[in-house]
Amino acid sequence: MTNTGRRHFASDNYAGICPEAFAAMTEANHGHEVGYGDDTWTEQAANLLRDVFETPCEVFFVFNGTSANSLSLASLCQSYHSILCHEMAHVEGSECGAPEFFANGTKVLLLDGPGGKIDPKSIERAVNKRTDIHYPKPRALSLTQATEVGTLYSRDELGALAEEARRYQLRIQMDGARFANAVASLGVKPKEITWQAGVDVLCFGGTKNGLAVGEAVVFFNLELAKEFDYRCKQGGQLASKMRFLSAPWVGMLQDGAWLRHATHSNAMAKRLEAAIRPLPNIHISYPVESNAVFARIPDKVTDALHQRGWRFYTRVGGWDESRLMCSWDTTPEDVDAFARDMKELSAG
């Protein structure tokens, strides 16, 4: 397939490697380094993450979000436990059962709440639904930040959820595939919506923010990090040339590129929302708080946009919406060109 140079709105995974990550990987390619994570790049990346979160934490680098989520949740549970998450959560609908698989049968239980966010009252209902030995005992709460529909948990909302979790001795895992977008949009320090809010472990996404591959699993609860390296090895996530996973993080973290790129992709989503919201028969489904715009678009318009070569997902996860994702390299010209085509086709 020929690359036409057009940037699309299907996924922030479509984007290439950002310059900062690419430069660091190139630099790491010179000479020899110790393997399996005992190299200087991995040490530097872990220390930079400790600086970002302003606390001692244990850091592990894995290949992708599925392994980050699944192995981190497995570290919080025994096989007879259950994991509570929103019914729209990625760990429920987009991991092919990996959390249950790696946790040796731990069951995922679904909670409700508007806008992709868990209603704190649903935690109490799930925990107290049954307390007998025949029911998988709730042990972990998984939060997605940003959510699957691009919305964000505020500090107060996280505080309310953490209070409920503590009441029932639940450990908190955060799926942060787009955590950078959340930090940029909320204008908070990373610590304020992680360990200070009661999060035990964060899966910090890098791929969707400009890395080629690799996520960071950050344990704020150091006790829970014990032997996680063994889980990584057993799960096929111990990279022999680990520096090529960790060096790009150095490039992203050392001068704040991770936050700049997230701020930019958020801004492009806001620009896209402003351009298409006034169009006839186009309905924005959720508040645009990160780098995603969910919209209900008539089938004839989506079909015509696809015929013009635009790529974006429709009926994502079974919902009756199209998902338009902006990336670190999305330009105002990209947004405007897409919006012009949508305007023309909506008027027809």
Side-chain angles (χ1 to χ4, degrees):
M1 183 179 70
T2 302
N3 185 354
T4 63
R6 171 178 277 186
R7 284 173 286 269
H8 295 278
F9 296 91
S11 174
D12 34 14
N13 288 324
Y14 276 37
I17 309 171
C18 68
E20 297 86 355
F22 203 99
M25 186 180 290
T26 301
E27 186 178 349
N29 195 41
H30 296 297
H32 281 210
E33 274 277 9
V34 179
Y36 298 103
D38 293 324
D39 58 278
T40 56
W41 287 99
T42 301
E43 180 182 16
Q44 186 180 358
N47 285 333
L48 284 168
L49 282 166
R50 295 178 184 115
D51 292 342
V52 165
F53 290 101
E54 303 177 62
T55 191
C57 50
E58 289 292 338
V59 180
F60 303 86
F61 297 99
V62 297
F63 289 104
N64 56 32
T66 297
S67 58
N69 281 323
S70 302
L71 295 176
S72 64
L73 285 167
S75 72
L76 307 184
C77 300
Q78 296 291 338
S79 59
Y80 50 84
H81 286 144
S82 57
I83 299 160
L84 308 183
C85 69
H86 195 277
E87 59 190 354
M88 290 182 175
H90 203 82
V91 298
E92 157 62 14
S94 299
E95 303 288 26
C96 196
E100 294 97 329
F101 176 81
F102 281 101
N104 296 316
T106 297
K107 186 173 179 60
V108 173
L109 300 178
L110 306 184
L111 308 180
D112 58 18
K117 296 188 286 187
I118 293 170
D119 179 351
K121 294 179 181 178
S122 68
I123 297 174
E124 180 182 9
R125 290 194 295 269
V127 172
N128 293 324
K129 180 179 179 180
R130 284 174 60 180
T131 57
D132 59 273
I133 200 169
H134 303 285
Y135 189 72
K137 183 178 179 64
R139 177 46 57 90
L141 176 66
S142 179
L143 305 174
T144 312
Q145 178 80 311
T147 72
E148 285 299 290
V149 293
T151 54
L152 301 177
Y153 289 102
S154 68
R155 282 180 293 181
D156 289 343
E157 288 172 327
L158 288 172
L161 289 165
E163 183 178 349
E164 286 297 299
R166 285 193 295 270
R167 181 178 301 171
Y168 299 108
Q169 293 79 53
L170 302 178
R171 295 158 177 167
I172 301 178
Q173 181 258 11
M174 180 173 281
D175 175 358
R178 298 181 178 90
F179 179 76
N181 298 93
V183 174
S185 182
L186 293 171
V188 296
K189 293 183 178 180
K191 65 180 179 181
E192 296 178 67
I193 56 171
T194 52
W195 61 270
Q196 285 188 342
V199 174
D200 292 299
V201 55
L202 166 71
C203 299
F204 190 167
T207 308
K208 292 175 173 61
N209 198 28
L211 270 63
V213 64
E215 316 289 284
V217 181
V218 183
F219 282 89
F220 304 109
N221 185 327
L222 303 185
E223 183 67 24
L224 296 175
K226 288 183 177 179
E227 299 188 347
F228 189 74
D229 50 346
Y230 284 84
R231 287 192 184 274
C232 290
K233 174 61 179 178
Q234 188 181 61
Q237 296 300 313
L238 178 62
S240 56
K241 296 185 178 180
M242 183 68 77
R243 69 187 185 277
F244 294 112
L245 288 185
S246 57
W249 281 94
V250 174
M252 290 286 277
L253 294 168
Q254 62 187 353
D255 67 350
W258 70 280
L259 202 54
R260 290 196 303 274
H261 291 317
T263 299
H264 173 77
S265 59
N266 289 350
M268 293 300 97
K270 284 290 190 182
R271 185 184 185 98
L272 180 57
E273 176 200 16
I276 68 173
R277 183 181 284 277
L279 301 181
N281 300 315
I282 306 298
H283 302 282
I284 305 299
S285 302
Y286 305 100
V288 178
E289 297 176 342
S290 56
N291 63 325
V293 179
F294 282 77
R296 294 186 177 181
I297 305 170
D299 289 343
K300 66 176 184 178
V301 177
T302 61
D303 292 344
L305 286 166
H306 288 152
Q307 288 171 8
R308 291 194 179 187
W310 291 107
R311 294 187 178 182
F312 58 95
Y313 293 141
T314 58
R315 294 180 175 83
V316 179
W319 311 313
D320 187 24
E321 292 117 5
S322 293
R323 189 188 75 166
L324 306 170
M325 295 299 307
C326 294
S327 307
W328 71 268
D329 63 347
T330 301
T331 67
E333 292 77 17
D334 299 326
V335 171
D336 296 346
F338 180 84
R340 279 195 303 272
D341 277 358
M342 183 180 281
K343 181 177 181 180
E344 178 186 335
L345 295 166
S346 298

